[in-house]
Amino acid sequence: MYPTDRPRRLRTTPALRRLVSETEVRPRNLVLPVFVAEGLESPKPIASMPGVVQHTRETLRKTAAEAAAAGLGGIMLFGVPAHHDATGTGAVDPDGILNVGLREVREEVGDALPVMADTCLDEFTDHGHCGVLAPDGTVDNDATLEVYADMAVAQADAGAHVVAPSGMMDGQVGRIRSALDAAGHVDTAILAYSAKYASAFYGPFREAVDSQLTGDRRTYQQDPANAREALRETTLDLAEGADMVMVKPAMAYLDVLRSVAEISDVPVAAYQVSGEYAMISAAAERGWIDRDRTILETVTGIRRAGADIVLTYWATELATWLDR
């Protein structure tokens, strides 16, 4: 007696394994998130994210050019202002750091690299929430929508190909779409953070953007226990005109990502967030895991679960490995 089925035959050589590989990661599938900070003279390392920095305007341009040369699918900008206020006025200021960064990156790469903008107030407010506050201290959903609309138009004016509302406000996609169209930005796309969870994995990001938050964002970001809710949120965003949808974080929510991919008729993104980056980096520094293999395996897993697009801080580096 011997096995009649021998799946190992197709694993015998690297060339055979490559031939039958079911999931591919290419540079075009990857988007690089970057931070640009106001007033820096040199890049500022982010301690909890080894290898990631807050960029100066000059190094941001260089990084964008490298991303374009690597064939990435895009670059996502986050702004780190020097000053914060209650309503995040720096987010809508044409001369605010995020809009200046968008303008300069677009000048650098033109249409060779999709330029994406985080459309959220948390980096700009002195309370760290993703919206403006009502008198009772809660986040005022509908008042926030009006600021998001102005913010998205300012980002499109600055050259963003894609705006990415990440605040999880009800109706944000529809309000932004209406504002963009009214301002003549009918070709500016919306990447909706449709299923964004109130996750512990965002910890290092808050250092990266100098977050002013005290408390949490559980009244608007999703409960990690909920999966059906993600499908409801995604369905609403699609109905409001989202051009792409996203699940965030990625690795702890691959089941959600698969479900979203199954119902979406637009491209689906997933964000390998700062905490995921930090865990892999820390384990690799200690020699507990093979860094490069782990990076590729995790990104492949995110793609396999259904992501057309993966936001990862390793995007440019990973792109250089893929043909190897």
Coordinates of all heavy atoms in Angstrom, one line a residue, residues 217-250:
R217 N -11.6 55.4 21.7 CA -12.4 55.8 20.5 C -13.5 54.7 20.3 O -14.0 54.6 19.2 CB -11.6 55.9 19.3 CG -10.5 57.0 19.4 CD -9.7 57.2 18.2 NE -8.8 58.3 18.3 CZ -7.5 58.3 18.0 NH1 -6.9 57.2 17.5 NH2 -6.7 59.4 18.1
R218 N -13.9 54.1 21.4 CA -14.9 53.0 21.3 C -16.3 53.4 20.9 O -17.1 52.6 20.5 CB -14.9 52.2 22.6 CG -13.5 51.5 22.8 CD -13.5 50.7 24.1 NE -12.2 50.1 24.3 CZ -11.9 49.3 25.4 NH1 -12.9 49.0 26.2 NH2 -10.7 48.9 25.6
T219 N -16.6 54.7 21.0 CA -18.0 55.1 20.6 C -18.1 55.3 19.1 O -19.2 55.4 18.7 CB -18.3 56.4 21.3 OG1 -17.5 57.5 20.9 CG2 -18.3 56.3 22.8
Y220 N -17.0 55.2 18.4 CA -17.2 55.3 16.9 C -16.4 54.2 16.2 O -16.9 53.7 15.2 CB -16.8 56.7 16.4 CG -15.6 57.4 16.9 CD1 -14.4 57.4 16.2 CD2 -15.6 58.0 18.2 CE1 -13.3 58.0 16.7 CE2 -14.5 58.7 18.7 CZ -13.4 58.7 17.9 OH -12.2 59.3 18.4
Q221 N -15.3 53.7 16.7 CA -14.6 52.6 16.1 C -15.3 51.3 16.5 O -15.9 51.3 17.6 CB -13.1 52.6 16.4 CG -12.4 53.8 15.8 CD -10.9 53.8 16.2 OE1 -10.4 53.0 17.0 NE2 -10.1 54.7 15.6
Q222 N -15.1 50.2 15.7 CA -15.9 49.0 15.9 C -15.4 48.2 17.1 O -14.2 48.1 17.4 CB -15.9 48.2 14.7 CG -16.8 48.7 13.6 CD -16.8 47.8 12.4 OE1 -16.4 48.2 11.3 NE2 -17.2 46.6 12.6
D223 N -16.3 47.4 17.7 CA -16.0 46.4 18.7 C -15.3 45.3 18.1 O -15.8 44.7 17.1 CB -17.3 46.0 19.4 CG -17.1 45.0 20.5 OD1 -16.0 44.4 20.6 OD2 -18.1 44.8 21.3
P224 N -14.1 44.9 18.6 CA -13.3 43.8 18.0 C -14.1 42.5 18.0 O -13.8 41.6 17.2 CB -12.1 43.7 18.8 CG -11.9 45.1 19.3 CD -13.2 45.6 19.6
A225 N -15.2 42.4 18.8 CA -15.9 41.1 18.8 C -16.9 41.0 17.6 O -17.5 39.9 17.4 CB -16.7 41.1 20.1
N226 N -17.1 42.1 16.9 CA -18.2 42.1 15.9 C -17.7 41.9 14.5 O -16.8 42.6 14.0 CB -19.0 43.4 16.0 CG -19.7 43.5 17.3 OD1 -19.8 42.6 18.1 ND2 -20.3 44.7 17.5
A227 N -18.3 41.0 13.8 CA -18.0 40.7 12.4 C -19.1 41.2 11.4 O -18.9 41.8 10.4 CB -17.7 39.2 12.1
R228 N -20.4 40.8 11.8 CA -21.5 41.2 11.0 C -21.6 42.7 10.8 O -22.0 43.3 9.7 CB -22.8 40.7 11.5 CG -23.0 39.2 11.3 CD -24.5 38.8 11.7 NE -24.8 39.1 13.1 CZ -24.6 38.2 14.1 NH1 -24.1 37.0 13.8 NH2 -25.0 38.5 15.3
E229 N -21.3 43.4 11.9 CA -21.3 44.9 11.9 C -20.4 45.5 10.8 O -20.7 46.5 10.1 CB -20.9 45.4 13.2 CG -20.9 47.0 13.3 CD -20.5 47.4 14.7 OE1 -19.6 46.8 15.3 OE2 -21.1 48.4 15.2
A230 N -19.2 44.8 10.5 CA -18.3 45.2 9.5 C -19.0 45.1 8.1 O -18.7 46.0 7.3 CB -17.0 44.4 9.5
L231 N -19.8 44.1 7.9 CA -20.5 44.0 6.6 C -21.5 45.1 6.5 O -21.7 45.6 5.4 CB -21.1 42.6 6.5 CG -20.1 41.4 6.6 CD1 -20.9 40.1 6.4 CD2 -19.0 41.6 5.6
R232 N -22.2 45.4 7.5 CA -23.1 46.5 7.5 C -22.4 47.9 7.1 O -22.9 48.6 6.3 CB -23.9 46.7 8.8 CG -25.0 47.7 8.8 CD -25.6 47.9 10.2 NE -26.7 48.9 10.1 CZ -27.2 49.5 11.2 NH1 -26.7 49.2 12.4 NH2 -28.2 50.3 11.1
E233 N -21.3 48.1 7.8 CA -20.6 49.3 7.6 C -20.1 49.4 6.1 O -20.2 50.4 5.5 CB -19.4 49.4 8.5 CG -19.8 49.7 10.0 CD -20.0 51.1 10.3 OE1 -20.1 52.0 9.4 OE2 -20.2 51.5 11.5
T234 N -19.6 48.3 5.6 CA -19.1 48.2 4.3 C -20.2 48.5 3.3 O -20.1 49.2 2.3 CB -18.4 46.9 4.0 OG1 -17.3 46.7 4.9 CG2 -17.9 46.8 2.6
T235 N -21.4 47.8 3.5 CA -22.5 48.0 2.6 C -22.9 49.4 2.5 O -23.3 50.0 1.5 CB -23.7 47.1 3.1 OG1 -23.2 45.7 3.0 CG2 -24.9 47.2 2.2
L236 N -23.0 50.1 3.7 CA -23.3 51.5 3.7 C -22.3 52.4 2.9 O -22.7 53.3 2.2 CB -23.4 52.0 5.2 CG -24.6 51.5 6.0 CD1 -24.4 51.8 7.5 CD2 -25.9 52.0 5.5
D237 N -21.1 52.1 3.1 CA -20.0 52.9 2.4 C -20.1 52.7 0.9 O -20.0 53.6 0.1 CB -18.6 52.5 2.9 CG -18.3 53.1 4.2 OD1 -19.1 54.0 4.7 OD2 -17.3 52.8 4.8
L238 N -20.4 51.4 0.5 CA -20.5 51.2 -0.9 C -21.8 51.9 -1.5 O -21.7 52.5 -2.6 CB -20.7 49.7 -1.2 CG -19.4 48.8 -0.9 CD1 -19.8 47.3 -0.9 CD2 -18.4 49.1 -1.9
A239 N -22.8 51.9 -0.7 CA -24.0 52.6 -1.2 C -23.8 54.1 -1.3 O -24.4 54.8 -2.1 CB -25.2 52.3 -0.3
E240 N -22.9 54.7 -0.4 CA -22.6 56.1 -0.4 C -21.6 56.5 -1.5 O -21.3 57.7 -1.7 CB -22.1 56.5 0.9 CG -23.2 56.5 2.0 CD -22.7 56.8 3.4 OE1 -21.6 57.5 3.5 OE2 -23.3 56.4 4.4
G241 N -21.0 55.5 -2.2 CA -20.1 55.8 -3.3 C -18.6 55.6 -3.1 O -17.8 56.1 -3.8
A242 N -18.3 54.7 -2.1 CA -16.9 54.4 -1.9 C -16.3 53.7 -3.1 O -16.9 52.8 -3.7 CB -16.7 53.5 -0.7
D243 N -15.1 54.2 -3.5 CA -14.4 53.6 -4.7 C -13.6 52.4 -4.3 O -13.3 51.5 -5.1 CB -13.6 54.6 -5.4 CG -14.4 55.8 -5.8 OD1 -15.1 55.7 -6.8 OD2 -14.3 56.9 -5.2
M244 N -13.2 52.4 -3.0 CA -12.4 51.3 -2.4 C -12.8 51.2 -1.0 O -13.2 52.2 -0.4 CB -10.9 51.5 -2.5 CG -10.4 51.5 -4.0 SD -8.6 52.0 -4.1 CE -8.8 53.8 -4.0
V245 N -12.7 50.0 -0.3 CA -13.0 49.9 1.1 C -11.9 49.2 1.8 O -11.0 48.6 1.2 CB -14.3 49.1 1.3 CG1 -15.5 49.8 0.7 CG2 -14.2 47.7 0.7
M246 N -11.8 49.4 3.1 CA -10.7 48.9 3.9 C -11.1 48.2 5.1 O -12.1 48.6 5.8 CB -9.7 50.1 4.2 CG -8.4 49.6 4.9 SD -7.5 51.0 5.6 CE -7.0 51.9 4.2
V247 N -10.3 47.2 5.5 CA -10.4 46.6 6.9 C -9.1 47.0 7.6 O -8.0 46.9 7.1 CB -10.5 45.1 6.8 CG1 -10.5 44.5 8.1 CG2 -11.8 44.7 6.0
K248 N -9.2 47.4 8.9 CA -8.1 47.8 9.7 C -8.4 47.5 11.1 O -9.5 47.9 11.6 CB -7.9 49.3 9.5 CG -6.7 49.9 10.3 CD -6.6 51.4 10.1 CE -5.4 51.9 11.0 NZ -5.3 53.4 10.9
P249 N -7.4 46.8 11.8 CA -6.2 46.2 11.4 C -6.4 45.0 10.4 O -7.5 44.7 10.1 CB -5.5 45.8 12.7 CG -6.2 46.5 13.8 CD -7.6 46.7 13.3
A250 N -5.3 44.4 10.1 CA -5.3 43.3 9.1 C -5.2 41.9 9.8 O -6.2 41.1 9.7 CB -4.2 43.5 8.0

